[in-house]
Amino acid sequence: MSNLDKVASLQFARMNGCTPRVGGCAFSAFLFRALAPVILVGSVAGHPAFAVENAAHPEASSGSPAVRATAESKLTRRADFAQEQASTDARYLANWVVDSGDNQGLPFIIVDKTGAKVYALQADGKLLAAAPALLGLAIGDDAVPGIGERKLSSIRPDERTTPAGRFVASLDRNIRGGHILWVDYDGALSLHPVITSNPKENRAGRLATPTPLDNRISFGCINVPPDFFKNVVSRVFTGTFGVVYILPETRPLGQVFAAYDVEERARLAALGKGSAESLLPQAGPELTKR
C-alpha cells in the first residue's frame, strides 16, 4: 500500500470509526509489537498464577491430600461483576482469567459480541464499568488475512468482522490525535470512542438503544461511548499494557480460549480430586491465535 493509499484509508477510517495501522504512531506501535509477545508467552502453559500461589502457600503443595484439597479450594479466585448482568460466557471467561492468572497481573477487557457489551476489569477481576459497544457489521470470529493492509473501500460487507481471541492492548493516538486502544495492530483492530461523523449510520443512536440487534455497523473496530473510553479505558490503560478478550459468536468458547470451569475446579478441589490442568481443553490449531 502506498503512502497516499494509507492517508486516504486513514481519512476514510476516521469517518467510519476504524483506524488502520499507519506509520504515524510507529514508535508506540513498535513497542506494542515488540513487547506483546513477551506478555503473551506463558499465558496458558504452566499457569504462572498457580506457581506463585503455591510458593506463597506451601500447604497447597505439601501435606496430606485433605490439606492440599482444602488449600487449593481456598485459593480458587473469581471475577466480581457486582450487580452487572453479564452473560454466562463473560463470567466463565473472567473467572478463568482471574483464577489462572492469564492476564499476567494486567487490567483486562472482555468484549461480548453477542450481547454487544464491553466489560472493563481490574487485574484482580473486579468490574470497573460496563458499556454497550458497536462491532463489525459481519458475524464471524476470524479476520480476513491481510485486512490491516487494505483500504477500507476495498473491504466487503462480509469481511467486516470483529475477530475473537486474546489480544495484548495499549493506548495510542490516531492520525487526528484522538485516543484509541490498539487491540490488534497488524489487523487494524482498535477500541475507540464512537465516531459520529456520518449521520446516516446513527452510531450514537445505535449505542443508546437497549437491544444489541442494531450494534453491528463498523468495519471491525469496537466503538464505545466517549465517557466510557475517557473515564475507564483511558484511565486504566494509561502507562500500562492490558489484555482484551473478545468472545466468539460462531464457535464454542473452548475452541478459542484454553479456559477451564473455575466452579468445577473448586468442587473437585474440595473433594481432593483433579486439578486445574485436568480441566483444560486439549490444545489445537484453534488455540494458537490468542
Side-chain angles (χ1 to χ4, degrees):
M1 182 184 296
S2 69
N3 290 334
L4 287 177
D5 284 341
K6 288 179 180 179
V7 172
S9 181
L10 282 163
Q11 291 173 338
F12 190 82
R14 175 174 54 81
M15 294 186 293
N16 290 278
C18 189
T19 309
R21 63 188 185 87
V22 66
C25 49
F27 180 68
S28 56
F30 168 77
L31 291 178
F32 175 81
R33 297 175 68 184
L35 296 178
V38 178
I39 301 173
L40 282 166
V41 170
S43 62
V44 178
H47 295 287
F50 295 123
V52 173
E53 289 176 344
N54 287 342
H57 300 81
E59 68 273 17
S61 56
S62 63
S64 68
V67 170
R68 290 198 300 272
T70 301
E72 187 169 353
S73 178
K74 289 180 179 179
L75 291 176
T76 301
R77 297 177 297 176
R78 298 170 179 80
D80 179 9
F81 281 87
Q83 303 303 312
E84 181 65 34
Q85 298 298 309
S87 68
T88 299
D89 278 356
R91 290 179 180 274
Y92 184 101
L93 190 71
N95 285 341
W96 166 72
V97 169
V98 174
D99 191 61
S100 69
D102 185 81
N103 60 324
Q104 303 287 288
L106 297 170
F108 63 101
I109 284 175
I110 292 180
V111 179
D112 184 349
K113 291 194 288 181
T114 302
K117 204 157 189 180
V118 173
Y119 305 94
L121 300 97
Q122 296 178 168
D124 62 2
K126 183 176 182 180
L127 180 70
L128 293 169
L134 301 182
L135 304 158
L137 176 67
I139 301 297
D141 293 319
D142 297 296
V144 175
I147 198 164
E149 298 285 351
R150 291 167 54 184
K151 295 187 294 184
L152 292 182
S153 58
S154 74
I155 300 175
R156 303 191 309 268
D158 63 292
E159 295 178 321
R160 293 164 60 174
T161 58
T162 300
R166 178 191 191 274
F167 305 90
V168 178
S170 67
L171 289 173
D172 204 344
R173 290 179 180 270
N174 60 21
I175 194 171
R176 293 295 297 256
H179 287 287
I180 63 171
L181 181 72
W182 272 124
V183 177
D184 180 11
Y185 180 74
D186 286 335
L189 177 65
S190 66
L191 183 153
H192 55 71
V194 62
I195 302 299
T196 58
S197 55
N198 186 346
K200 292 182 179 180
E201 291 185 335
N202 187 31
R203 293 198 178 199
R206 290 171 183 268
L207 276 178
T209 62
T211 174
L213 298 179
D214 59 353
N215 288 42
R216 310 305 290 255
I217 187 65
S218 80
F219 278 79
C221 287
I222 304 154
N223 289 216
V224 296
D227 287 346
F228 177 78
F229 189 92
K230 177 182 177 181
N231 299 325
V232 181
V233 178
S234 183
R235 179 172 59 84
V236 172
F237 281 78
T238 293
T240 185
F241 288 93
V243 185
V244 174
Y245 299 89
I246 302 180
L247 302 180
E249 56 187 341
T250 62
R251 298 203 299 260
L253 196 68
Q255 287 187 3
V256 179
F257 302 103
Y260 56 79
D261 188 335
V262 175
E263 300 300 334
E264 181 66 5
R265 178 200 169 205
R267 187 186 71 81
L268 292 177
L271 296 174
K273 300 178 181 180
S275 64
E277 286 80 0
S278 68
L279 298 176
L280 286 173
Q282 292 297 313
E286 298 291 351
L287 297 179
T288 59
K289 184 179 180 182
R290 288 172 42 77

Short mmCIF file of all heavy atoms in Angstrom, two decimals, residues 50-78:
data_model
loop_
_atom_site.label_atom_id
_atom_site.label_comp_id
_atom_site.label_asym_id
_atom_site.label_seq_id
_atom_site.Cartn_x
_atom_site.Cartn_y
_atom_site.Cartn_z
N PHE A 50 -0.62 -20.26 39.45
CA PHE A 50 -0.58 -21.38 40.37
C PHE A 50 0.80 -21.53 41.00
O PHE A 50 0.94 -21.86 42.17
CB PHE A 50 -0.97 -22.68 39.66
CG PHE A 50 -2.39 -22.66 39.19
CD1 PHE A 50 -2.70 -22.87 37.85
CD2 PHE A 50 -3.42 -22.42 40.07
CE1 PHE A 50 -4.00 -22.84 37.42
CE2 PHE A 50 -4.73 -22.38 39.64
CZ PHE A 50 -5.02 -22.60 38.30
N ALA A 51 1.84 -21.29 40.20
CA ALA A 51 3.19 -21.40 40.72
C ALA A 51 3.42 -20.37 41.81
O ALA A 51 4.01 -20.65 42.85
CB ALA A 51 4.20 -21.21 39.60
N VAL A 52 2.95 -19.14 41.58
CA VAL A 52 3.10 -18.09 42.58
C VAL A 52 2.33 -18.42 43.83
O VAL A 52 2.81 -18.28 44.95
CB VAL A 52 2.63 -16.73 42.00
CG1 VAL A 52 2.61 -15.67 43.08
CG2 VAL A 52 3.54 -16.31 40.85
N GLU A 53 1.09 -18.86 43.65
CA GLU A 53 0.26 -19.17 44.81
C GLU A 53 0.84 -20.32 45.61
O GLU A 53 0.85 -20.30 46.84
CB GLU A 53 -1.16 -19.52 44.35
CG GLU A 53 -1.93 -18.32 43.83
CD GLU A 53 -3.28 -18.71 43.29
OE1 GLU A 53 -3.51 -19.89 43.03
OE2 GLU A 53 -4.09 -17.79 43.11
N ASN A 54 1.31 -21.34 44.94
CA ASN A 54 1.86 -22.49 45.65
C ASN A 54 3.10 -22.11 46.41
O ASN A 54 3.37 -22.65 47.49
CB ASN A 54 2.16 -23.62 44.66
CG ASN A 54 0.89 -24.29 44.16
OD1 ASN A 54 -0.16 -24.15 44.77
ND2 ASN A 54 0.99 -25.01 43.05
N ALA A 55 3.90 -21.20 45.85
CA ALA A 55 5.09 -20.76 46.55
C ALA A 55 4.73 -20.00 47.82
O ALA A 55 5.39 -20.09 48.84
CB ALA A 55 5.95 -19.89 45.64
N ALA A 56 3.64 -19.22 47.73
CA ALA A 56 3.21 -18.42 48.88
C ALA A 56 2.42 -19.25 49.88
O ALA A 56 2.28 -18.89 51.03
CB ALA A 56 2.37 -17.24 48.41
N HIS A 57 1.88 -20.37 49.43
CA HIS A 57 1.08 -21.23 50.28
C HIS A 57 1.61 -22.65 50.18
O HIS A 57 1.08 -23.47 49.43
CB HIS A 57 -0.39 -21.18 49.87
CG HIS A 57 -0.99 -19.83 49.95
ND1 HIS A 57 -0.81 -18.88 48.96
CD2 HIS A 57 -1.76 -19.23 50.91
CE1 HIS A 57 -1.46 -17.77 49.30
NE2 HIS A 57 -2.03 -17.95 50.47
N PRO A 58 2.69 -22.96 50.91
CA PRO A 58 3.30 -24.29 50.80
C PRO A 58 2.35 -25.42 51.14
O PRO A 58 2.54 -26.54 50.68
CB PRO A 58 4.47 -24.20 51.80
CG PRO A 58 4.13 -23.07 52.73
CD PRO A 58 3.38 -22.10 51.88
N GLU A 59 1.30 -25.11 51.90
CA GLU A 59 0.36 -26.19 52.24
C GLU A 59 -0.39 -26.69 51.01
O GLU A 59 -0.96 -27.79 51.02
CB GLU A 59 -0.64 -25.72 53.31
CG GLU A 59 -1.63 -24.66 52.84
CD GLU A 59 -1.08 -23.25 52.99
OE1 GLU A 59 0.15 -23.11 53.15
OE2 GLU A 59 -1.89 -22.30 52.98
N ALA A 60 -0.40 -25.86 49.92
CA ALA A 60 -1.10 -26.26 48.71
C ALA A 60 -0.32 -27.32 47.94
O ALA A 60 -0.86 -27.97 47.06
CB ALA A 60 -1.34 -25.06 47.80
N SER A 61 0.98 -27.47 48.23
CA SER A 61 1.79 -28.44 47.50
C SER A 61 2.44 -29.46 48.42
O SER A 61 3.29 -30.22 47.99
CB SER A 61 2.87 -27.70 46.71
OG SER A 61 3.66 -26.90 47.58
N SER A 62 2.07 -29.48 49.67
CA SER A 62 2.63 -30.44 50.61
C SER A 62 1.56 -30.88 51.60
O SER A 62 0.47 -30.33 51.65
CB SER A 62 3.82 -29.82 51.35
OG SER A 62 3.39 -28.71 52.12
N GLY A 63 1.87 -31.87 52.38
CA GLY A 63 0.94 -32.35 53.38
C GLY A 63 0.01 -33.42 52.84
O GLY A 63 0.18 -33.92 51.72
N SER A 64 -1.01 -33.75 53.60
CA SER A 64 -1.94 -34.80 53.23
C SER A 64 -2.84 -34.35 52.09
O SER A 64 -2.98 -33.15 51.84
CB SER A 64 -2.80 -35.17 54.44
OG SER A 64 -3.66 -34.09 54.76
N PRO A 65 -3.46 -35.29 51.37
CA PRO A 65 -4.40 -34.91 50.30
C PRO A 65 -5.50 -34.00 50.79
O PRO A 65 -5.92 -33.09 50.08
CB PRO A 65 -4.93 -36.27 49.83
CG PRO A 65 -3.82 -37.23 50.14
CD PRO A 65 -3.24 -36.74 51.43
N ALA A 66 -6.00 -34.25 52.00
CA ALA A 66 -7.08 -33.42 52.54
C ALA A 66 -6.62 -31.99 52.74
O ALA A 66 -7.34 -31.03 52.45
CB ALA A 66 -7.57 -34.00 53.86
N VAL A 67 -5.38 -31.82 53.24
CA VAL A 67 -4.84 -30.49 53.46
C VAL A 67 -4.66 -29.78 52.13
O VAL A 67 -5.00 -28.61 51.97
CB VAL A 67 -3.49 -30.55 54.21
CG1 VAL A 67 -2.82 -29.18 54.23
CG2 VAL A 67 -3.72 -31.04 55.64
N ARG A 68 -4.12 -30.50 51.13
CA ARG A 68 -3.91 -29.90 49.82
C ARG A 68 -5.24 -29.50 49.18
O ARG A 68 -5.36 -28.45 48.57
CB ARG A 68 -3.17 -30.88 48.91
CG ARG A 68 -1.72 -31.10 49.29
CD ARG A 68 -0.93 -31.70 48.13
NE ARG A 68 -1.48 -32.97 47.71
CZ ARG A 68 -1.13 -34.15 48.23
NH1 ARG A 68 -0.22 -34.19 49.19
NH2 ARG A 68 -1.66 -35.27 47.78
N ALA A 69 -6.27 -30.36 49.33
CA ALA A 69 -7.58 -30.07 48.74
C ALA A 69 -8.18 -28.82 49.37
O ALA A 69 -8.72 -27.96 48.68
CB ALA A 69 -8.52 -31.25 48.94
N THR A 70 -8.08 -28.71 50.69
CA THR A 70 -8.62 -27.54 51.38
C THR A 70 -7.89 -26.27 50.96
O THR A 70 -8.51 -25.24 50.69
CB THR A 70 -8.51 -27.71 52.90
OG1 THR A 70 -9.24 -28.87 53.30
CG2 THR A 70 -9.07 -26.49 53.62
N ALA A 71 -6.56 -26.36 50.87
CA ALA A 71 -5.76 -25.19 50.49
C ALA A 71 -6.08 -24.76 49.07
O ALA A 71 -6.26 -23.57 48.80
CB ALA A 71 -4.27 -25.51 50.63
N GLU A 72 -6.17 -25.71 48.14
CA GLU A 72 -6.44 -25.35 46.75
C GLU A 72 -7.83 -24.77 46.60
O GLU A 72 -8.05 -23.85 45.82
CB GLU A 72 -6.27 -26.57 45.84
CG GLU A 72 -6.37 -26.20 44.37
CD GLU A 72 -5.95 -27.32 43.44
OE1 GLU A 72 -5.45 -28.33 43.92
OE2 GLU A 72 -6.15 -27.15 42.22
N SER A 73 -8.78 -25.31 47.37
CA SER A 73 -10.15 -24.78 47.30
C SER A 73 -10.18 -23.33 47.75
O SER A 73 -10.86 -22.49 47.16
CB SER A 73 -11.07 -25.64 48.17
OG SER A 73 -12.39 -25.13 48.15
N LYS A 74 -9.41 -23.00 48.78
CA LYS A 74 -9.37 -21.63 49.27
C LYS A 74 -8.71 -20.69 48.27
O LYS A 74 -8.99 -19.49 48.26
CB LYS A 74 -8.62 -21.59 50.61
CG LYS A 74 -9.37 -22.21 51.77
CD LYS A 74 -8.57 -22.12 53.05
CE LYS A 74 -9.31 -22.73 54.23
NZ LYS A 74 -8.52 -22.68 55.48
N LEU A 75 -7.80 -21.24 47.46
CA LEU A 75 -7.08 -20.41 46.50
C LEU A 75 -7.87 -20.11 45.24
O LEU A 75 -7.44 -19.31 44.43
CB LEU A 75 -5.76 -21.09 46.12
CG LEU A 75 -4.70 -21.17 47.21
CD1 LEU A 75 -3.50 -21.95 46.72
CD2 LEU A 75 -4.29 -19.78 47.66
N THR A 76 -8.99 -20.79 45.05
CA THR A 76 -9.80 -20.54 43.87
C THR A 76 -10.29 -19.09 43.87
O THR A 76 -10.83 -18.61 44.86
CB THR A 76 -11.01 -21.48 43.83
OG1 THR A 76 -10.56 -22.82 43.84
CG2 THR A 76 -11.83 -21.26 42.57
N ARG A 77 -10.09 -18.41 42.75
CA ARG A 77 -10.47 -17.00 42.67
C ARG A 77 -11.48 -16.78 41.56
O ARG A 77 -11.50 -17.52 40.57
CB ARG A 77 -9.22 -16.13 42.41
CG ARG A 77 -8.20 -16.20 43.53
CD ARG A 77 -6.97 -15.40 43.19
NE ARG A 77 -6.27 -15.92 42.03
CZ ARG A 77 -5.20 -15.36 41.48
NH1 ARG A 77 -4.72 -14.24 42.00
NH2 ARG A 77 -4.62 -15.90 40.43
N ARG A 78 -12.31 -15.75 41.71
CA ARG A 78 -13.36 -15.46 40.74
C ARG A 78 -13.42 -13.96 40.47
O ARG A 78 -13.03 -13.16 41.31
CB ARG A 78 -14.72 -15.95 41.24
CG ARG A 78 -14.81 -17.46 41.46
CD ARG A 78 -16.09 -17.82 42.17
NE ARG A 78 -16.24 -19.25 42.37
CZ ARG A 78 -15.65 -19.94 43.33
NH1 ARG A 78 -14.84 -19.32 44.19
NH2 ARG A 78 -15.86 -21.24 43.46
#
